[in-house]
Amino acid sequence: MFGGIYVQINTVILRYLEMELKSPFTTSFGTMKRRPVLLVEVIDEHGVRGWGEGVAFAAPWYTEETIETMWHMLEAFLIPLLFQAPVHHPDELLERFSIVRRNYMAKAALEGAVWDLFAKRHHIPLHVALGGEKKEVEVGVSIGIQPITDLLKRMEQALIEGYRRVKIKIKPGWDIDVVRAVRHHFPHVPLMVDANCAYSLRDIARLQALDDYELLMIEQPLAVDDIVDHAKLQAKLKTPICLDESICSYEDAKRAIELKSCRVINIKIGRVGGLTEAKRIHDLCQQHHLPVWCGGMLEGGVGRAHSIALATLPYFSFPSDTAASANYWERDFITPEVTVRDGRIFVRHEFGIGYEVDVTEVEKRTVRLKICKRSRG
């Protein structure tokens, strides 16, 4: 698809943004009121621009990466690697960046910007460049830990808005009673729970009790880097386990499939190092008939647009976590903002990510900026 065009990136611009969430978001890790965002803009020799987003948080509670480590890895290592030679296809960056260990979110931010630029250079939407087939993406909503009364009100509003699936966060002591209350009020809603690694095998009986509530899945109940104990737990549960934090690469997914550690995988672009690796994991899971879905990271508009493009691939089997921009932000920094109608996002067909970055809004929120230029020598 990209034959005949080699792109030389001459400029990369890093921007650190501070975004205010509409309401605090609480998980087993803690509560977040502000969301830092790292925007990556790449510009080629023709002045074409592509956008990517780094999705790490201010503190390393989800993975080892933070917004500061992303910035350092991009400036010191990944951007110089990108400048070394022209790029024929974004897939090449998986190998080029491989000399840098892990740092998947930093890699994904830069690689995503290149994917956007390539789609624009070839005058096609990003989802077409990826091989996506869907014209609309079903979406669900993720709701953080909060008082049950507030949780039920938020769920009711989400269902009125048409979301096709609800995910609620749980942790030990905030699980069975909460799920029971939700099921009492919403007996038929497609429901899943996300533990964010808060349990261990000592909690098998507690997790087995969730089998009574017809959940779609239990997401990442055990340790962040575990695949073995999840296999032991899955063998004792009727409810499918979905792996999230444990899957950082194609090889992780391959091992999880071989060990039968889960029955679903959540694919997040930032967590696995970019769109190329995300697509490889999707294809592997399709070969093994293991359902996948596209998770969210409280992204800004650019990251959200990339996730929408990814979720158009054919084997994404559950509604994604790509809720509307207005679910989290008073105002996003893309135009138009991501909107949901009847539980679906209709895929845009403009070139690249399909949305324009509102530079004025970006500048209002930018607290740090770095312009990196390729040496002409």
Side-chain angles (χ1 to χ4, degrees):
M1 178 179 293
F2 292 128
I5 294 180
Y6 282 82
V7 170
Q8 178 66 66
I9 306 298
N10 289 330
T11 305
V12 179
I13 303 175
L14 303 180
R15 293 179 175 90
Y16 185 134
L17 280 60
E18 285 283 356
M19 302 281 286
E20 191 82 30
L21 287 162
K22 289 176 78 171
S23 58
F25 193 84
T26 301
T27 72
S28 62
F29 293 120
T31 298
M32 187 185 316
K33 297 179 181 179
R34 297 175 67 84
R35 175 67 164 108
V37 170
L38 197 160
L39 274 187
V40 178
E41 181 183 9
V42 299
I43 307 172
D44 74 0
E45 72 274 26
H46 299 286
V48 180
R49 298 167 185 263
W51 293 88
E53 182 175 332
V55 296
F57 298 105
W61 55 262
Y62 177 74
T63 71
E64 68 275 14
E65 288 185 82
T66 69
I67 194 156
E68 294 292 345
T69 67
M70 283 193 303
W71 187 287
H72 170 63
M73 296 306 299
L74 285 161
E75 184 178 2
F77 300 102
L78 297 173
I79 292 172
L81 286 170
L82 178 64
F83 284 161
Q84 278 183 358
V87 180
H88 178 250
H89 191 286
D91 285 349
E92 298 168 11
L93 297 179
L94 183 65
E95 176 65 25
R96 192 182 299 189
F97 292 165
S98 66
I99 64 172
V100 175
R101 298 287 181 93
R102 297 182 69 87
N103 290 282
Y104 299 121
M105 292 179 179
K107 292 176 180 178
L110 187 55
E111 186 231 47
V114 175
W115 267 106
D116 180 34
L117 187 150
F118 260 77
K120 289 171 179 171
R121 282 289 303 269
H122 287 267
H123 306 294
I124 56 175
L126 177 59
H127 71 273
V128 173
L130 292 170
E133 301 175 357
K134 300 175 184 177
K135 301 189 185 311
E136 58 189 51
V137 173
E138 288 193 340
V139 293
V141 66
S142 179
I143 302 175
I145 294 171
Q146 54 196 275
I148 291 179
T149 301
D150 295 342
L151 172 63
L152 295 175
K153 287 181 181 177
R154 181 67 191 92
M155 282 190 63
E156 183 175 9
Q157 182 60 37
L159 295 172
I160 290 171
E161 293 168 3
Y163 285 100
R164 302 296 180 96
R165 180 268 297 150
V166 174
K167 178 170 81 173
I168 62 174
K169 300 287 186 175
I170 62 170
K171 63 181 180 179
W174 183 263
D175 41 31
I176 298 169
D177 291 343
V178 177
V179 173
R180 183 185 300 115
V182 168
R183 271 289 176 240
H184 177 74
H185 285 81
F186 304 103
H188 304 299
V189 65
L191 178 68
M192 60 178 286
V193 297
D194 184 4
N196 288 120
C197 316
Y199 297 83
S200 72
L201 289 181
R202 294 188 298 272
D203 300 304
I204 285 179
R206 178 175 288 273
L207 294 168
Q208 284 176 322
L210 295 174
D211 280 337
D212 294 336
Y213 298 101
E214 298 182 1
L215 300 174
L216 292 174
M217 64 192 83
I218 301 172
E219 187 175 359
Q220 195 72 34
L222 306 181
V224 62
D225 57 353
D226 174 74
I227 290 177
V228 174
D229 282 354
H230 275 104
K232 298 174 183 177
L233 178 61
Q234 182 64 93
K236 295 180 180 295
L237 294 180
K238 297 177 183 177
T239 306
I241 287 175
C242 169
L243 286 184
D244 175 2
E245 289 95 329
S246 292
I247 306 299
C248 293
S249 66
Y250 175 94
E251 292 300 325
D252 287 341
K254 183 172 178 286
R255 284 187 286 268
I257 291 169
E258 291 176 353
L259 292 174
K260 299 182 179 179
S261 303
C262 61
R263 296 177 192 159
V264 184
I265 286 179
N266 169 353
I267 301 178
K268 292 178 178 173
I269 299 167
R271 194 193 68 234
V272 303
L275 286 163
T276 296
E277 190 77 342
K279 189 176 185 302
R280 292 180 71 219
I281 294 170
H282 163 277
D283 295 348
L284 174 71
C285 291
Q286 185 172 18
Q287 293 167 15
H288 290 272
H289 309 290
L290 189 78
V292 297
W293 62 281
C294 184
M297 289 288 294
L298 295 178
E299 301 96 337
V302 169
R304 207 164 291 270
H306 280 88
S307 292
I308 293 167
L310 178 67
T312 65
L313 294 176
Y315 208 64
F316 280 91
S317 308
F318 293 97
S320 74
D321 259 351
T322 315
S325 296
N327 196 57
Y328 301 110
W329 318 114
E330 292 292 348
R331 184 167 181 178
D332 208 337
F333 50 77
I334 56 168
T335 58
E337 294 191 351
V338 175
T339 57
V340 174
R341 190 168 72 222
D342 190 29
R344 295 170 292 172
I345 294 173
F346 293 89
V347 180
R348 295 175 59 80
H349 294 281
E350 287 77 3
F351 302 154
I353 61 174
Y355 298 84
E356 292 293 327
V357 174
D358 186 335
V359 178
T360 301
E361 284 299 315
V362 167
E363 289 176 349
K364 287 179 184 177
R365 294 168 171 79
T366 298
V367 297
R368 190 193 312 171
L369 181 144
K370 174 72 175 183
I371 300 175
C372 305
K373 295 277 190 179
R374 181 174 70 89
S375 172
R376 301 288 180 167

